[in-house]
Amino acid sequence: EVQLVQSGAEVKKPGESLKISCKGSGYGFTNYWIGWVRQMPGKGLEWMGIVYPGHSDISYSPSFQGQVTISADKSVSTAYLQWSSLKASDTAVYYCARAYDGKTPEFDLWGQGTLVTVSS
Amino acid sequence: DIQMTQSPSSLSASVGDRVTITCRASQTISRYLNWYQQKPGKAPKLLIYAASSLRSGVPSRFSSSGSGTDFTLTINSLQPEDFATYYCQQAYSSPTTFGQGTRLEIK
């Protein structure tokens, strides 16, 4: 089955670090880009950035540049999104999504989402 | 960044109705426009890509048109499973951006 499976929900305190994952299966993981999309509670979709696991080419939205780190490990068909110091405003559901073209992305396959809650 | 504006923000309709959602870009995006459907607690699902291409498996009651700055998504003969939130997305330039969403509710 072609799918993206994300890591489970996280509850963290402000200032803590976090790395969430997105594992692809059933397709050529290195042939597609993986993007990350944030959805804050009750809000819309925001594109954070995208990585090409084939050669780890990465592009960030200016809104998220410097706030998060995107990476991928093609040996385990997994993309990652990480924070070094979480803030309460990072509370959201984070989705990974697949795109064939990183420059004109159509996200045709989505993970189930990872809920990140940051609270003291 | 290219701003995407959808209207209306919410819409009430009945099963069997025909509804139209519009999406306007702040600058021309050619036909680099995609539509997604999202149901509560679920990930978005790609419905239409490149402004008017229906994704395989998506019912033919969904259609879309437009180019440049103005686009429309039409759903003919609404079915109970169509009540959801719909987002447009421009893929013309980075950063890709989404509209704010249109919530389609049952009247």
Side-chain angles (χ1 to χ4, degrees):
Chain A
E1 180 184 0
V2 177
Q3 60 183 351
L4 295 172
V5 178
Q6 297 186 230
S7 50
E10 302 274 1
V11 179
K12 292 289 190 179
K13 290 181 167 43
E16 291 186 332
S17 62
L18 176 64
K19 190 174 189 177
I20 63 175
S21 65
C22 168
K23 183 175 177 61
S25 61
Y27 73 96
F29 187 72
T30 56
N31 296 331
Y32 289 80
W33 295 74
I34 296 290
W36 287 95
V37 176
R38 182 176 78 175
Q39 188 165 41
M40 298 178 77
K43 302 298 184 183
L45 305 171
E46 302 173 272
W47 178 72
M48 303 175 72
I50 199 164
V51 58
Y52 189 70
H55 46 66
S56 290
D57 190 9
I58 301 169
S59 175
Y60 292 94
S61 164
S63 297
F64 292 92
Q65 179 88 46
Q67 308 304 308
V68 296
T69 301
I70 292 170
S71 62
D73 183 345
K74 61 184 180 183
S75 70
V76 290
S77 300
T78 301
Y80 302 97
L81 176 66
Q82 67 182 83
W83 296 259
S84 59
S85 180
L86 286 160
K87 302 184 284 286
S89 58
D90 292 318
T91 295
V93 175
Y94 293 88
Y95 293 102
C96 63
R98 183 185 79 167
Y100 186 72
D101 184 339
K103 295 198 184 306
T104 58
E106 300 161 358
F107 295 114
D108 69 341
L109 179 68
W110 293 67
Q112 82 276 19
T114 295
L115 173 62
V116 174
T117 303
V118 184
S119 174
S120 55
Chain B
D1 298 2
I2 296 176
Q3 305 302 316
M4 305 300 293
T5 304
Q6 291 181 230
S7 61
S9 294
S10 63
L11 176 59
S12 294
S14 301
V15 172
D17 284 354
R18 177 187 185 199
V19 299
T20 298
I21 299 169
T22 66
C23 178
R24 174 164 289 175
S26 61
Q27 63 188 73
T28 184
I29 57 170
S30 186
R31 293 176 59 80
Y32 291 93
L33 191 283
N34 307 314
W35 288 97
Y36 299 85
Q37 176 193 67
Q38 186 179 33
K39 296 182 179 179
K42 299 295 186 182
K45 172 186 168 184
L46 178 66
L47 297 177
I48 289 171
Y49 61 96
S52 61
S53 296
L54 195 66
R55 191 179 179 203
S56 176
V58 174
S60 59
R61 62 180 178 273
F62 290 90
S63 64
S64 176
S65 64
S67 66
T69 61
D70 294 312
F71 302 84
T72 60
L73 172 69
T74 300
I75 312 172
N76 288 300
S77 188
L78 274 171
Q79 298 301 299
E81 61 267 28
D82 299 336
F83 292 94
T85 299
Y86 293 85
Y87 293 94
C88 61
Q89 174 222 357
Q90 68 80 15
Y92 180 77
S93 72
S94 185
T96 184
T97 45
F98 294 86
Q100 82 278 17
T102 295
R103 185 175 177 182
L104 177 55
E105 301 174 314
I106 300 175
K107 185 183 289 184

